C-alpha cells in the first residue's frame, strides 16, 4: 500500500472518526471505504466511481480533493486501465441486452409461484372433502392446534430479487478530461445549464420519460445511464445532443 490509502486512514483516525462515521457522512458503503484505504481499487465498480468516492471522502476528512485525486491518478497504472477497459466493455455488452428482462423474469416467477400455491390448495381441499372410512379416533390426550393446518402463501419478499429495479431514467455525468458546457432537459424542463469545470462533483439527473442532453465538449465527460457506463459520445471539442427515453432504454 502506498501513501494514499495510509494518508486517508491516518487522517480519519486522527479525527477520531470510525468507518461507520464516514459512511453516515458520505453515504459510501463501508466495503468501499476500506477498499480506498487499502488501495484495493479492483473491489470498486470503476474509475469514475473511485474518483467520486475519493472526492467525497477527502471533503469529509477536510483534505484537498484535487490533491487526493491527483495522487490517485499517479497510482492508476496500466494494469488498472486494462481492468477498467474490461469493466466498461462488460457494461456496454449489458447495454445491448433487453432492458426489461429482469422485470419480466420477476413477474413471471411471482405468477408461477402463485399458480402453484393455488393448485396445492385446491388439491388439499379436494382431499379433505373426499369421503373416507376411517376408524374412530383414539383419544391420546393430544389436542390439535388449528393454526398448524394453515398453509401460508409465499411472501413477495421471498421471491423478488434483492437487485433494485429503477423504472425511470437516471443519468450520471462526470467531467474528467476538461471543462464542458452542459444543459439537461428532464421531462421538458430545463434542470441544468452551465459550464462544469474538470474534476467537479458527479452530476446526477432523473426523469420519468425523457432526458435531453447538450454537451459542448463531449470527449471530456463520462456518462453512466441507468447504471451502465456508456461509450464516449464524441471527441474533445465535439458538440453533441443525445436524447435518452424510457422506450430507448
Amino acid at each position: 500500500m502506498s501513501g494514499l490509502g495510509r494518508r486517508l486512514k491516518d487522517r480519519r483516525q486522527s479525527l477520531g472518526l470510525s468507518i461507520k462515521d464516514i459512511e453516515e457522512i458520505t453515504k459510501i458503503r463501508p466495503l468501499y471505504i476500506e477498499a480506498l484505504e487499502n488501495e484495493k481499487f479492483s473491489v470498486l465498480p470503476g474509475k469514475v466511481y473511485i474518483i467520486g468516492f475519493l472526492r467525497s471522502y477527502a471533503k469529509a476528512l477536510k483534505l484537498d480533493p484535487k490533491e487526493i485525486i491527483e495522487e490517485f491518478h499517479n497510482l492508476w497504472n496500466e494494469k488498472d486501465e486494462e481492468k477498467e477497459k474490461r469493466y466498461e466493455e462488460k457494461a456496454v455488452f449489458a447495454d445491448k441486452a433487453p432492458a426489461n428482462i429482469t422485470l419480466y423474469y420477476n413477474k413471471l416467477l411471482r405468477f408461477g409461484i402463485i399458480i402453484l400455491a393455488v393448485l396445492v390448495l385446491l388439491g388439499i381441499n379436494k382431499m379433505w372433502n373426499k369421503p373416507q372410512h376411517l376408524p374412530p379416533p383414539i383419544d391420546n390426550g393430544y389436542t390439535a392446534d388449528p393454526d398448524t393446518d394453515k398453509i401460508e402463501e409465499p411472501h413477495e419478499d421471498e421471491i423478488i430479487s434483492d437487485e433494485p429495479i429503477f423504472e425511470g431514467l437516471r443519468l450520471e455525468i462526470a467531467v474528467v478530461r476538461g471543462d464542458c458546457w452542459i444543459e439537461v432537459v428532464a421531462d421538458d424542463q430545463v434542470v441544468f445549464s452551465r459550464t462544469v469545470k474538470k474534476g467537479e462533483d458527479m452530476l446526477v439527473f432523473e426523469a420519468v420519460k425523457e432526458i435531453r442532453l447538450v454537451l459542448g465538449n463531449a470527449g471530456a465527460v463520462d456518462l453512466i445511464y441507468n447504471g451502465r457506463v456508456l461509450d464516449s459520445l464524441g471527441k474533445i471539442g465535439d458538440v453533441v445532443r443525445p436524447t435518452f427515453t424510457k422506450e430507448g432504454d
Side-chain angles (χ1 to χ4, degrees):
M1 182 172 67
S2 67
L4 177 59
R6 172 58 61 184
R7 181 179 178 185
L8 294 173
K9 185 174 182 178
D10 289 347
R11 177 64 173 176
R12 172 177 61 79
Q13 292 177 341
S14 70
L15 294 174
L17 297 174
S18 65
I19 290 180
K20 183 66 176 177
D21 295 329
I22 297 299
E23 178 191 11
E24 293 178 355
I25 296 171
T26 64
K27 308 306 179 184
I28 301 174
R29 293 172 54 188
L31 173 66
Y32 293 161
I33 296 172
E34 293 178 356
L36 292 174
E37 291 185 350
N38 294 303
E39 296 177 12
K40 294 182 179 180
F41 300 129
S42 59
V43 175
L44 296 152
K47 186 176 181 181
V48 173
Y49 286 97
I50 296 174
I51 293 173
F53 291 157
L54 284 173
R55 182 178 293 107
S56 298
Y57 198 1
K59 289 180 179 178
L61 298 178
K62 296 181 174 55
L63 297 172
D64 184 358
K66 292 184 178 180
E67 183 179 334
I68 295 297
I69 292 171
E70 183 65 27
E71 190 171 347
F72 163 72
H73 282 303
N74 293 334
L75 288 175
W76 189 260
N77 55 36
E78 294 181 359
K79 183 177 180 181
D80 295 320
E81 290 287 356
E82 182 63 26
K83 290 180 180 178
E84 177 71 8
K85 182 178 180 182
R86 289 198 299 270
Y87 173 81
E88 292 182 356
E89 289 175 350
K90 183 178 179 181
V92 171
F93 175 79
D95 186 38
K96 298 178 181 179
N100 62 346
I101 187 170
T102 303
L103 180 61
Y104 174 78
Y105 175 78
N106 287 334
K107 288 183 177 179
L108 184 62
L109 182 59
R110 272 204 303 270
F111 180 74
I113 291 181
I114 291 173
I115 292 297
L116 180 60
V118 171
L119 292 176
V120 171
L121 290 173
L122 290 175
I124 293 175
N125 183 63
K126 184 176 181 180
M127 292 177 60
W128 282 351
N129 292 332
K130 182 178 180 181
Q132 298 186 23
H133 301 285
L134 300 175
I138 300 175
D139 185 6
N140 55 6
Y142 172 78
T143 302
D145 184 357
D147 290 337
T148 60
D149 294 332
K150 294 181 180 178
I151 298 178
E152 296 182 358
E153 294 186 4
H155 195 277
E156 284 190 353
D157 291 340
E158 299 174 357
I159 59 177
I160 298 178
S161 170
D162 289 334
E163 287 295 325
I165 300 175
F166 183 69
E167 296 184 353
L169 308 178
R170 180 183 176 91
L171 182 64
E172 300 169 64
I173 306 174
V175 181
V176 295
R177 286 178 289 277
D179 298 349
C180 180
W181 188 85
I182 299 175
E183 181 176 279
V184 180
V185 180
D187 293 332
D188 297 324
Q189 296 291 327
V190 177
V191 296
F192 188 88
S193 180
R194 70 173 175 87
T195 297
V196 181
K197 299 293 185 181
K198 174 184 176 182
E200 285 193 29
D201 290 346
M202 182 179 293
L203 305 175
V204 180
F205 304 97
E206 293 183 351
V208 176
K209 296 181 179 179
E210 179 184 78
I211 296 178
R212 297 199 303 273
L213 182 64
V214 180
L215 299 176
N217 186 11
V221 304
D222 288 336
L223 299 178
I224 302 175
Y225 176 56
N226 280 4
R228 298 187 295 273
V229 178
L230 303 182
D231 290 334
S232 177
L233 299 183
K235 300 177 181 178
I236 296 293
D238 286 351
V239 178
V240 299
R241 295 178 173 82
T243 298
F244 303 89
T245 64
K246 192 169 185 179
E247 292 75 11
D249 187 6

